[in-house]
Amino acid sequence: MSFYDVVGIVGSACIVIAYFANQKGWLGAHDWRYSTLNLVGALMVLASLYWAWNLAAAVMEGFWALISLWGLAKALRLRTQ
């Protein structure tokens, strides 16, 4: 297993952990930590795809990262109000 495989697996774990924490009620969808964990996970998976390209996965993770950025910005805006 290469370093980039490990990066992709850890990134996938970040996304799954964020989703699980949301489902358990530990992290709300409007919590900045939820969006941050999703963003970090998506970026790690995207980084791993550089060495083992998969277009469908790259598109999915690209959208995941963009939506996570939007959610993070929204969460931070709500915190400052």
Side-chain angles (χ1 to χ4, degrees):
M1 183 177 303
S2 74
F3 170 75
Y4 303 105
D5 290 328
V6 173
V7 169
I9 290 168
V10 171
S12 294
C14 288
I15 293 168
V16 171
I17 289 167
Y19 183 65
F20 181 73
N22 179 261
Q23 292 301 304
K24 291 290 285 181
W26 300 335
L27 280 179
H30 299 293
D31 190 319
W32 67 270
R33 296 171 298 178
Y34 177 74
S35 292
T36 300
L37 197 51
N38 272 300
L39 177 60
V40 167
L43 293 175
M44 290 176 80
V45 172
L46 280 169
S48 74
L49 289 172
Y50 182 78
W51 284 270
W53 183 250
N54 180 319
L55 180 60
V59 169
M60 180 66 165
E61 295 306 322
F63 279 114
W64 204 272
L66 290 173
I67 292 167
S68 296
L69 278 171
W70 176 78
L72 182 58
K74 183 177 177 182
L76 293 176
R77 247 189 339 266
L78 288 174
R79 276 184 72 177
T80 60
Q81 291 181 353

